[in-house]
Amino acid sequence: MTEPAPGPGPRPGSPARFEVLVPPPGGEGTRARLGRLELPHGVVETPQFMPVGTNATVKALDPADLEEAGASIILANTYHLYLRPGHQRIARLGGLHRFMAWDHPILTDSGGFQVVSLGDLRKIDDDGVTFQSHLDGSYHRFTPEHSIAVQEALGADIAVAFDQPVPPASTSRAEVARATERTHRWAERSLAAHSRPDQALFGIIQGGLDPQLRGESTAFMTSLPFEGICIGGLAGDETAEQRAAALDVAVGLLEKDRRPRYLMGLGSPADLLEAVNLGVDMFDSVLPARVARNGQLWVPGGKINIRNAQFQDDARPVQEGCRCILCRRFSRAYLAHLFRAEELLAYRLATCHNMVFTLDFMAEIRSALRSGTFDARLPQLRAYAQLSRPGASAVQSE
Amino acid sequence: MTEPAPGPGPRPGSPARFEVLVPPPGGEGTRARLGRLELPHGVVETPQFMPVGTNATVKALDPADLEEAGASIILANTYHLYLRPGHQRIARLGGLHRFMAWDHPILTDSGGFQVVSLGDLRKIDDDGVTFQSHLDGSYHRFTPEHSIAVQEALGADIAVAFDQPVPPASTSRAEVARATERTHRWAERSLAAHSRPDQALFGIIQGGLDPQLRGESTAFMTSLPFEGICIGGLAGDETAEQRAAALDVAVGLLEKDRRPRYLMGLGSPADLLEAVNLGVDMFDSVLPARVARNGQLWVPGGKINIRNAQFQDDARPVQEGCRCILCRRFSRAYLAHLFRAEELLAYRLATCHNMVFTLDFMAEIRSALRSGTFDARLPQLRAYAQLSRPGASAVQSE
């Protein structure tokens, strides 16, 4: 175990304690690191993936499924819970942990991503965002102060500052600059508004793909006493190379920062691995669950689409040796049948599998970091995580 | 334990062994009895309710959910599995038990109810039924021989003779008579076609509501060496009084018969209780699961519709003290939220609850029979099971 790195860090008495257990070796090699984030409801080993429970439920799973899959922290969406069932109702019912019967860490996002993604349904000004509910068209307004109030009512272990993300590749530099500047003001207001002592607050770096803007935003956010640093405005319409370049700028400036780094919105095992390699600690995405509900199952080195005809007669498990409830008990043929019959069990079993695949992959990454073999095992980990490499067709059509 | 009653019984070497452990007291009182049915995949205590797994899955549940709910035998639908994924495919994959990962008893129906219910999509003659698939309009033909062949391929513990049920209250006596006569010929042909030694075969009494036809059909079916006697053509459009009268005729003639009695298609806890009281041992219905998916939760003495507005703020469990996964972990408010958000978890939790409610109610009935207190406890059991009595509004609107 090493001492926390010197440099900027969270406010004193923080409800989030982060330690880097195995720092990167330094030099030109990997920036991947093993860490441990202690939160009011439990410990999160990093690098870590957070399943997304949009409506206070990870779609198709119950909390026992998540525990069995190995989830240690989940994300819930402030925008969705604010609209339905309402943050005040959840507060009256004892908070989000009790409401959804998840007694482990939770992170809520700020609602920023959802409300600025509403297109014609929202209007952004320097003070906040006015938007119409996607459910009933009713009008609402989110400001940094209101986002924090909603998140304090929900009571997650980690809240996130209100921000204005923009699609990184298709937004002009001037627009990125304006949104980033606004995000900085909102970060200060979020910090000022936040008062719940048992809840950590993370700030969000923006800055798009422009190295200067990304660097300025990183420097600005790290100057504030957040408990963690989100890297926002990525996992959007950028290429893998553009994302890596932006991460290189941000993480390069975070080298001496002692806080966890959370890249919002990733993703596939291959994307997670590359981002870990670039120094990211935490991730969230709906991807494993969403593609599972469409019949896409992740397996080592590739993926299978269980709707393909050949699986109707395939007596093998989706993944030999997998510990998930799908692979332990059922055949590909049975899952193929459930999908064709549109049976509800299909979605739960497929989601359990992709979640176990993703979380076990992160555990494998942590194991390599712990033993100091991450760099050496990187080619093997890349081959395992590759869902869409050209050679993967052998698995896809097996 | 008592000796099996004398009288007609199953063929020698039957894979189904039924014992009446506590016979009815005789006289004018209850005909309810406690029994034990030993099948190749396990023992079924009677009276018993069989959850329906139409497509080789009880909707929204996995086999562990069913085991935890206390299910000891489930029903699967021959018509549906014949069309999709196909009985021969299931046979190639090792049979229905392995296919759906349910290593306990299964009963398959004959497909008769489904194919004769297809309306304009089917044509019945004395040899069998020609029908169009509800999935793709393709043409198929079921005869007694084909129904048995499909059921032998599926490999359930219990197969059922092919029959022609008719809506009991809205069918003319002549039509009932013709369908009943046809059912008798098909019963003989089903018996002759059936050869799988590890599978029991039950015959089905028809006869509608006419005491003479019902009596003749009962006498005819009991003269054949089936392993169990289904009471068909009820749980349809008849009143409770009409059903009781038909049951009285059938069970009266079955008094000395040593086989289990299975009333097809019931139903609600109140209906189950009355049929047990009239001497029935086994039941099946989609009702507990279907109403659960619509948000109707069964509780002692009534039911609640979780979609009603007041439950959004109700922190209590659906049923205090209930052992199901819904009531152990979650509030009414959370379930109300899941239903409003159309989250998949809602359907599983609600189904688990109604299944536990139904199966625990049957266990309570068996306990009363075992201790000889069934007659004395009947008023209390009726109050517990009453889902729609006038006074239940207190619970419905609580």
Side-chain angles (χ1 to χ4, degrees):
Chain A
M1 224 177 282
T2 62
E3 287 297 300
R11 56 184 165 154
S14 160
R17 287 192 46 208
F18 183 65
E19 281 181 299
V20 175
L21 303 177
V22 180
E28 293 300 300
T30 183
R31 281 175 169 155
R33 58 190 195 171
L34 185 74
R36 183 181 185 280
L37 175 61
E38 202 177 313
L39 294 167
H41 287 83
V43 170
V44 177
E45 301 180 332
T46 65
Q48 191 55 266
F49 176 80
M50 300 186 279
V52 176
T54 303
N55 289 312
T57 164
V58 175
K59 289 192 188 303
L61 303 188
D62 75 0
D65 291 332
L66 284 167
E67 286 165 355
E68 193 178 314
S72 59
I73 177 170
I74 63 169
L75 179 148
N77 286 120
T78 293
Y79 165 80
H80 289 281
L81 295 176
Y82 159 79
L83 289 178
R84 184 178 59 195
H87 57 294
Q88 287 162 333
R89 170 172 283 139
I90 289 178
R92 282 196 304 271
L93 290 162
L96 186 55
H97 291 88
R98 184 190 292 186
F99 184 62
M100 65 184 297
W102 176 254
D103 199 26
H104 308 290
I106 303 176
L107 179 148
T108 45
D109 62 8
S110 68
F113 178 76
Q114 277 76 26
V115 298
V116 306
S117 304
L118 284 170
D120 290 347
L121 292 177
R122 55 82 176 158
K123 194 168 175 312
I124 306 177
D125 57 58
D126 285 341
D127 182 56
V129 184
T130 299
F131 61 95
Q132 284 182 268
S133 161
H134 73 287
L135 297 173
D136 61 7
S138 56
Y139 282 89
H140 302 266
R141 184 164 174 82
F142 260 39
T143 60
E145 291 76 17
H146 189 55
S147 167
I148 295 300
V150 172
Q151 291 184 78
E152 290 195 348
L154 295 173
D157 298 72
I158 304 173
V160 166
F162 195 57
D163 68 327
Q164 184 191 345
V166 291
S170 56
T171 307
S172 73
R173 190 182 189 282
E175 280 181 90
V176 172
R178 192 167 55 210
T180 302
E181 177 59 26
R182 198 175 263 154
T183 294
H184 294 178
R185 300 289 81 76
W186 291 359
E188 293 170 321
R189 288 168 56 188
S190 295
L191 261 173
H194 189 261
S195 64
R196 194 167 165 154
D198 60 346
Q199 183 178 62
L201 183 64
F202 282 22
I204 307 185
I205 299 168
Q206 289 293 339
L209 302 176
D210 184 278
Q212 192 195 340
L213 294 175
R214 181 61 69 174
E216 285 170 8
S217 190
T218 305
F220 180 83
M221 284 299 160
T222 56
S223 75
L224 298 178
F226 289 113
E227 273 98 356
I229 303 295
C230 307
I231 304 170
L234 295 176
D237 58 0
E238 80 280 10
T239 66
E241 289 71 27
Q242 289 173 319
R243 186 188 312 142
L247 279 179
D248 187 55
V249 169
V251 178
L253 293 168
L254 289 168
E255 197 182 341
K256 303 239 179 273
D257 193 275
R258 69 178 76 163
R259 290 167 286 191
R261 307 158 188 162
Y262 159 30
L263 175 51
M264 311 177 93
L266 281 194
S268 73
D271 285 345
L272 298 177
L273 177 63
E274 299 309 330
V276 165
N277 191 32
L278 292 166
V280 178
D281 305 304
M282 296 168 68
F283 305 91
D284 80 282
S285 173
V286 298
L287 193 71
R290 178 173 289 165
V291 302
R293 295 197 305 280
N294 288 326
Q296 183 184 112
L297 283 296
W298 294 349
V299 294
K303 61 191 171 194
I304 66 178
N305 186 335
I306 202 67
R307 294 181 186 276
N308 287 350
Q310 78 265 27
F311 297 121
Q312 292 180 277
D313 287 296
D314 194 335
R316 293 174 298 171
V318 162
Q319 179 185 339
E320 201 68 58
C322 172
R323 65 181 180 84
C324 84
I325 60 168
L326 169 63
C327 295
R328 280 205 318 268
R329 289 191 86 148
F330 304 99
S331 63
R332 296 174 175 190
Y334 184 64
L335 187 64
H337 165 64
L338 292 181
F339 267 98
R340 280 159 193 265
E342 296 178 2
E343 284 287 347
L344 293 169
L345 182 57
Y347 312 117
R348 177 164 166 247
L349 293 179
T351 304
C352 279
H353 174 78
N354 279 3
M355 214 54 92
V356 165
F357 186 87
T358 305
L359 292 167
D360 279 3
F361 183 63
M362 299 308 287
E364 195 63 27
I365 288 174
R366 290 194 302 275
S367 164
L369 289 168
R370 196 172 292 114
S371 60
T373 59
F374 180 81
D375 251 341
R377 292 188 55 199
L378 201 44
Q380 178 198 342
L381 290 166
R382 282 188 171 127
Y384 191 92
Q386 208 61 39
L387 297 183
S388 53
R389 69 173 208 281
S393 59
V395 175
Q396 276 186 267
S397 63
E398 82 173 344
Chain B
M1 224 178 281
T2 62
E3 286 298 301
R11 55 186 166 152
S14 160
R17 286 192 45 210
F18 183 66
E19 282 181 299
V20 175
L21 302 177
V22 179
E28 293 301 299
T30 183
R31 279 172 169 161
R33 59 191 194 169
L34 185 74
R36 183 182 185 279
L37 176 61
E38 203 177 314
L39 294 167
H41 287 82
V43 170
V44 177
E45 299 181 332
T46 65
Q48 190 57 267
F49 176 79
M50 301 185 279
V52 176
T54 304
N55 289 313
T57 165
V58 175
K59 287 190 191 304
L61 304 188
D62 76 0
D65 291 331
L66 285 166
E67 285 165 354
E68 192 179 314
S72 58
I73 177 171
I74 63 170
L75 180 147
N77 285 122
T78 293
Y79 164 80
H80 290 280
L81 295 176
Y82 158 79
L83 288 179
R84 183 178 62 196
H87 58 295
Q88 287 162 332
R89 170 172 283 138
I90 290 178
R92 282 195 305 271
L93 290 162
L96 186 55
H97 291 88
R98 184 189 293 186
F99 183 63
M100 65 184 298
W102 176 255
D103 199 28
H104 308 290
I106 303 175
L107 179 148
T108 45
D109 62 9
S110 68
F113 178 76
Q114 278 76 24
V115 299
V116 306
S117 303
L118 285 169
D120 290 347
L121 292 177
R122 56 80 176 160
K123 193 167 176 312
I124 306 176
D125 57 58
D126 285 342
D127 182 55
V129 183
T130 299
F131 61 95
Q132 284 182 268
S133 162
H134 73 288
L135 297 173
D136 62 6
S138 56
Y139 282 88
H140 302 265
R141 184 165 174 81
F142 260 40
T143 60
E145 291 76 16
H146 189 55
S147 168
I148 294 300
V150 172
Q151 292 184 78
E152 291 195 348
L154 295 174
D157 298 72
I158 303 173
V160 165
F162 194 58
D163 68 326
Q164 184 190 345
V166 290
S170 56
T171 307
S172 73
R173 190 180 190 282
E175 280 181 89
V176 172
R178 192 166 55 208
T180 302
E181 177 59 26
R182 198 175 262 154
T183 294
H184 294 177
R185 300 289 81 75
W186 291 357
E188 293 171 321
R189 287 168 57 188
S190 296
L191 262 175
H194 189 263
S195 64
R196 193 168 166 152
D198 60 346
Q199 183 178 63
L201 184 64
F202 281 23
I204 307 184
I205 297 167
Q206 290 292 341
L209 301 175
D210 184 280
Q212 191 195 342
L213 293 174
R214 182 61 69 174
E216 285 170 8
S217 190
T218 305
F220 180 82
M221 284 299 160
T222 55
S223 76
L224 298 178
F226 289 112
E227 272 99 355
I229 303 295
C230 307
I231 303 170
L234 295 175
D237 59 0
E238 79 280 11
T239 66
E241 290 70 27
Q242 289 173 319
R243 185 188 314 140
L247 279 178
D248 187 56
V249 169
V251 178
L253 292 168
L254 289 167
E255 196 182 341
K256 301 232 178 281
D257 192 276
R258 67 177 80 164
R259 290 167 288 191
R261 307 158 188 163
Y262 160 29
L263 175 52
M264 311 176 93
L266 280 196
S268 74
D271 284 346
L272 298 177
L273 178 63
E274 299 309 328
V276 165
N277 192 32
L278 292 166
V280 178
D281 304 305
M282 297 168 69
F283 305 92
D284 80 283
S285 174
V286 298
L287 193 71
R290 179 173 288 166
V291 301
R293 293 197 306 280
N294 289 326
Q296 184 185 110
L297 283 297
W298 293 350
V299 294
K303 62 191 170 193
I304 65 178
N305 187 335
I306 202 69
R307 294 182 186 275
N308 286 351
Q310 78 264 27
F311 297 121
Q312 291 179 278
D313 288 297
D314 194 334
R316 292 173 297 170
V318 162
Q319 179 184 338
E320 201 68 59
C322 172
R323 64 181 180 85
C324 83
I325 61 169
L326 169 63
C327 295
R328 280 204 320 266
R329 289 190 87 149
F330 304 99
S331 63
R332 295 174 177 190
Y334 184 65
L335 187 65
H337 164 66
L338 292 181
F339 266 99
R340 281 160 192 263
E342 296 179 1
E343 284 287 349
L344 293 169
L345 182 57
Y347 312 117
R348 177 163 166 248
L349 293 179
T351 304
C352 279
H353 174 79
N354 278 3
M355 214 55 93
V356 164
F357 185 88
T358 305
L359 292 166
D360 279 2
F361 182 64
M362 299 307 288
E364 195 62 28
I365 288 174
R366 291 195 301 275
S367 163
L369 289 167
R370 196 173 292 114
S371 60
T373 59
F374 180 82
D375 252 341
R377 293 188 54 200
L378 202 44
Q380 177 199 343
L381 290 167
R382 282 187 172 128
Y384 190 93
Q386 207 63 38
L387 297 183
S388 53
R389 70 173 207 280
S393 60
V395 175
Q396 276 186 266
S397 63
E398 82 174 350

